[in-house]
Amino acid sequence: MGFRTGFLPMAVALAAACTSGHTTVDVTILPHEYRVGDVVSAVPAPVVSEVVRRRPHEVHVHTCSSTPPARVSQFHHELETQLKAKMTLSFTARAC
């Protein structure tokens, strides 16, 4: 038994559609910068745009205790207006 013509491309497209949007994106928020991947900014907008572009199911924010809570809150507010994704938060000492 072989694959019918057209079955494989359709299966690949379906697999891609099923897996997109079900990822976790890691964001780092420090006292003076926001970071996701190669995008680093003093303001949240470019990082929010990159997260929205990736369309994750979940956004995990890494921050440290010296980061003002208002920075995390501002990021969350801007992200929430553009993307309905679950957001989790953890405190870390490695990036502080």
Side-chain angles (χ1 to χ4, degrees):
M1 296 185 97
F3 288 109
R4 289 188 205 167
T5 307
F7 175 76
L8 190 56
M10 183 171 40
V12 171
L14 222 111
C18 290
T19 58
S20 68
H22 294 286
T23 58
T24 299
V25 171
D26 291 312
V27 174
T28 302
I29 302 176
L30 300 175
H32 302 291
E33 74 179 22
Y34 297 85
R35 186 183 325 155
V36 63
D38 294 335
V39 178
V40 179
S41 176
V43 295
V47 173
V48 168
S49 294
E50 177 62 15
V51 171
V52 170
R53 185 189 70 76
R54 294 181 185 193
R55 298 180 321 179
H57 178 69
E58 183 175 343
V59 177
H60 187 79
V61 174
H62 303 273
T63 191
C64 53
S65 59
S66 60
T67 301
R71 290 182 66 80
V72 177
S73 182
Q74 182 180 12
F75 173 81
H76 180 253
H77 176 71
E78 289 189 28
L79 181 65
E80 194 173 51
T81 61
Q82 298 183 46
L83 181 71
K84 301 297 180 210
K86 178 181 176 184
M87 188 169 128
T88 57
L89 177 69
S90 68
F91 289 93
T92 181
R94 80 186 146 119
C96 299

